[in-house]
């Protein structure tokens, strides 16, 4: 049995109740076969893959808080510190009822390779809670965040583990958490990223994941002698990633005709009105029905359906496993040329394979959405030197990072004979640096 198969079997046996984690490990290890097979004896002796698939440390804790009626509520908090070979753990905090240890481990595992791809010194971690900020008052969100940080602050720090936002954790939640960290630890340090601009946040961090996704997509198109100008784009999601992806795509001359949330989706053939979308989602925190009500050209549909709209480029920006095999077939039938993932693992493995087999240029989230964490690392740098860079400086660095990521993953794929397979390229390019650092640091 090959070393990869041996490890996959062990990981499956050990983590049988964590399907998302298994899916992520399977996707990564399968695509690393050319590298692992070439170093099989050495890696087996070092148990390199077993180590890379096992978090260095994970925390699970009680988060009690009091709601507006005076009732005590109890949620579960998580932080997985997956791999610190190339830097302090770095990765967001997800607040969503679906959160469990398997989801956090899948995200933390992906984060190791994504962070490596940015070229910056950051290890992989992830955390969150099954708390749902939706429908809660600001006071309730604050009560939860303070309780969550009261426990989490024992395990994090500017040089050890630096959490950030993710689904459900935006500027408001990061602010409450930062305040509580400072109060308990007595330290004014860059322990969280995604902070507000008045207390150590970086300009362009809010826009970074969506903008970065488009910088990479643009480079991909350029490499195939195409441009963004005049292209029809479908986007899923209506959160932080989706909003700024839509904005940048439009600035590049493309027309974005869809967005979605967890209850329905919008088809707006005249192009999504980003200012209106921001008002509905960022200010009012309302449903997309309000977008449709305010915009005569828009249709609102219940459920899911953005992938049935004809497009040149598809950008899934909502959540994991939202682009399924039938969606992939529909995209191919409609002549879609490129799919780049703004969300983490939005495309299932069979859908990814179908897209690749049918000539669609497919770039996975690990590479395509790395702009968020890259800019978080730039926020850490600014905090360390106690300076703030201008929007243009940060944006230019982000653009440079995304262009480099595209070429690194494209070159890595070519080196191993998989030209055009950006999934293999991203996993290999991300893995090589982490593996080398782990080997250099001995058995730990
Ligand atoms: P937000 O919470 O800001 O937005 C998420 C969007 O996806 C919302 O529109 C939400 O709908 C929708 N959504 C969430 N869960 C589901 C679901 N189960 N089914 C359908 N729609 C759903 O999160 P972000 O934009 O920050 O994150 C989106 C994705 O991008 C995630 O996979 C995240 O891990 C990834 N990512 C985010 C980064 C960042 O910097 N923010 C960096 C890298 C990756 P509703 O409005 O109804 O809640």
């Amino acid at each position: 049995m090959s070393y990869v198969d041996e490890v996959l079997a062990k990981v499956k046996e050990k983590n049988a109740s964590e399907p998302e984690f298994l899916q992520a490990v399977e996707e990564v290890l399968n695509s690393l076969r050319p590298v692992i097979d070439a170093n099989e004896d050495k890696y087996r002796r070092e148990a390199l893959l077993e180590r890379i698939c096992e978090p260095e440390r994970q925390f699970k804790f009680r988060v009690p808080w009091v709601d507006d009626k005076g009732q005590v509520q109890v949620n579960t908090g998580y932080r997985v510190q997956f791999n610190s070979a190339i830097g302090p753990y770095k990765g967001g905090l997800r607040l969503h009822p679906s959160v469990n240890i398997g989801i956090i481990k899948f995200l933390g595992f992906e984060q190791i390779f994504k962070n490596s791809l940015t070229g910056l010194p950051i290890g992989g971690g992830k955390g969150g809670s099954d708390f749902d900020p939706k429908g809660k008052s600001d006071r309730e969100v604050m009560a939860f965040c303070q309780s969550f940080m009261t426990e989490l602050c024992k395990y994090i720090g500017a040089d050890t583990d630096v959490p950030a936002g993710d689904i459900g954790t935006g500027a408001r939640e990061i602010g409450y958490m930062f305040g509580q960290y400072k109060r308990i630890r007595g330290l004014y340090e860059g322990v969280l990223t995604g902070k507000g601009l008045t207390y150590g946040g970086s300009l362009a961090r809010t826009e970074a994941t969506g903008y970065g996704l488009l910088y990479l997509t643009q480079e991909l198109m350029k490499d195939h002698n195409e441009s963004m100008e005049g292209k029809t784009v479908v986007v899923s999601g209506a959160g932080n990633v989706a909003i700024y992806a839509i904005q940048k795509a439009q600035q590049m001359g493309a027309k974005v005709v869809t967005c979605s949330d967890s209850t329905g989706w919008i088809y707006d053939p005249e192009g999504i009105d980003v200012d209106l979308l921001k008002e509905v989602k960022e200010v009012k925190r309302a449903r997309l029905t309000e977008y449709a009500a305010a915009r005569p050209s828009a249709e609102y549909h219940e459920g899911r359906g953005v992938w049935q709209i004809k497009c040149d480029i598809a950008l899934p920006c909502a959540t994991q496993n939202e682009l399924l095999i039938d969606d992939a077939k529909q995209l191919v039938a409609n002549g879609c040329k490129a799919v780049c993932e703004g969300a983490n693992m939005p495309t299932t493995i069979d859908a990814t394979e179908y897209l690749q087999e049918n000539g669609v240029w497919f770039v996975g989230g690990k590479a395509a959405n790395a702009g968020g964490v890259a800019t978080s690392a730039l926020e850490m740098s600014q905090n360390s030197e106690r300076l703030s860079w201008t929007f243009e400086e940060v944006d230019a660095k982000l653009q440079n990072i995304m262009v480099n990521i595209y070429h690194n993953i494209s070159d890595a794929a070519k080196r191993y004979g998989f030209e055009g397979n950006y999934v293999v390229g991203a996993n290999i390019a991300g893995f090589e640096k982490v593996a080398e650092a782990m080997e250099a640091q001995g058995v730990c």
Side-chain angles (χ1 to χ4, degrees), residues 94 134 166 168 205 209 238-241 261-262 281 287 318 344:
R94 179 172 292 192
K134 260 192 218 126
D166 189 69
R205 173 61 189 94
T209 310
N240 173 264
V241 180
D261 67 11
S262 48
K281 285 307 215 181
R287 314 308 313 165
N344 284 316

Side-chain angles (χ1 to χ4, degrees), residues 195-215:
K195 298 186 292 297
L197 294 177
T198 52
Y199 61 96
S202 174
L203 285 162
R205 173 61 189 94
T206 308
E207 296 83 354
T209 310
Y211 278 22
L213 171 67
L214 266 298
Y215 292 143

Side-chain angles (χ1 to χ4, degrees), residues 111 114 126 164-167 193-194 203-217 239-249 315-318 340-344 365-376 394-395 398 402:
Q111 199 81 46
K114 179 188 307 189
K126 198 82 188 187
D166 189 69
I167 290 180
T193 57
L203 285 162
R205 173 61 189 94
T206 308
E207 296 83 354
T209 310
Y211 278 22
L213 171 67
L214 266 298
Y215 292 143
L216 182 136
T217 307
N240 173 264
V241 180
I243 287 173
Y244 294 97
I246 294 170
Q247 188 174 68
K248 185 50 78 177
L315 305 174
C317 296
C340 298
E341 295 183 330
N344 284 316
K366 219 170 279 141
N369 70 31
V373 74
T375 308
S376 276
V394 180
D395 192 38
L398 168 65
M402 298 314 294

